[in-house]
Amino acid sequence: MIIPKILETSYPYKGKIVTIRKDKLTRDGEKTFVRETAAVADSVAIVAVDDRNRVLLIRQYRHPVGEPVWEIPAGRMDIEDEKPEQTALRELQEETDTSAEKIQYLTVFGNSVGWTTEKTYVFLARGLKGVPEYDRQNEEADIEKKWISMSEALDMVRSGQLNDAKTIIGLLLAGEYIVRK
């Protein structure tokens, strides 16, 4: 396989969350082609499961789809030198007012490898307890929380009621892990 060579790179857009990188490439040194990439920080997703094997879901407004979405807690790795596990614990507290005694790595996946650099690290959180309410801002201020059985969550994945990729991946892996234990 020939790996294309990057001839030049420009950045037509640099925003707070996303930077668009435009690369001019060649495979043979003669013909060129352009690829645009959305460069964004990696993220984490947390499947929080209590001692009754219930899953914590949150519902918040997601601007790209223009509506509220039920999903597992998640967030960007936007603090320098913070490890994915630390980000997961922080985001769980910030979004759900919940802490976890144990956090276990489940997987990492490329969100959409054809156009973005973003990877999501998925964790299973156990040993949960409530913590003081976090002062949430913007669309996070309206986060709703609900606990549902793992079985019901998996049924919602299969029926398409839960259609967020990180939520589907996290619930399928966590459900498998819980059944095996």
Side-chain angles (χ1 to χ4, degrees), residues 120-169:
T120 298
Y121 296 83
V122 183
F123 295 92
L124 172 62
R126 301 298 296 252
L128 307 176
K129 67 177 181 178
V131 296
E133 189 170 309
Y134 187 80
D135 181 28
R136 290 182 272 284
Q137 304 293 317
N138 303 322
E139 65 270 10
E140 289 185 345
D142 297 319
I143 285 178
E144 297 175 46
K145 299 179 276 187
K146 76 173 175 179
W147 291 93
I148 63 171
S149 71
M150 178 60 79
S151 175
E152 182 182 353
L154 293 172
D155 286 345
M156 291 174 74
V157 166
R158 283 188 277 283
S159 72
Q161 291 173 290
L162 294 175
N163 60 10
D164 169 67
K166 69 185 172 301
T167 300
I168 292 168
I169 292 167

Side-chain angles (χ1 to χ4, degrees), residues 24-177:
K24 182 177 176 182
L25 305 126
T26 185
R27 292 183 70 241
D28 60 10
E30 294 179 22
K31 295 179 186 173
T32 62
F33 56 101
V34 172
R35 292 294 178 262
E36 296 168 343
T37 302
V40 297
D42 291 339
S43 59
V44 299
I46 309 98
V47 183
V49 180
D50 70 7
D51 57 1
R52 294 171 30 200
N53 283 337
R54 295 182 307 162
V55 178
L56 179 56
L57 294 179
I58 63 171
R59 184 174 183 243
Q60 65 178 317
Y61 174 75
R62 291 300 193 179
H63 188 67
V65 295
E67 63 186 23
V69 175
W70 283 106
E71 59 190 302
I72 58 177
R76 296 225 173 268
M77 295 177 59
D78 52 5
I79 295 179
E80 192 173 336
D81 296 327
E82 187 175 60
K83 295 186 181 341
E85 297 84 356
Q86 295 168 310
T87 304
L89 290 169
R90 176 177 56 79
E91 288 290 343
L92 182 63
Q93 286 191 24
E94 288 178 6
E95 290 192 346
T96 71
D97 309 316
T98 304
S99 69
E101 288 177 10
K102 292 185 344 184
I103 193 158
Q104 178 179 348
Y105 170 84
L106 293 175
T107 196
V108 61
F109 67 92
N111 289 44
S112 186
V113 297
W115 71 276
T116 181
T117 60
E118 184 181 12
K119 295 185 307 266
T120 298
Y121 296 83
V122 183
F123 295 92
L124 172 62
R126 301 298 296 252
L128 307 176
K129 67 177 181 178
V131 296
E133 189 170 309
Y134 187 80
D135 181 28
R136 290 182 272 284
Q137 304 293 317
N138 303 322
E139 65 270 10
E140 289 185 345
D142 297 319
I143 285 178
E144 297 175 46
K145 299 179 276 187
K146 76 173 175 179
W147 291 93
I148 63 171
S149 71
M150 178 60 79
S151 175
E152 182 182 353
L154 293 172
D155 286 345
M156 291 174 74
V157 166
R158 283 188 277 283
S159 72
Q161 291 173 290
L162 294 175
N163 60 10
D164 169 67
K166 69 185 172 301
T167 300
I168 292 168
I169 292 167
L171 289 173
L172 290 175
L173 290 173
E176 179 181 292
Y177 176 81

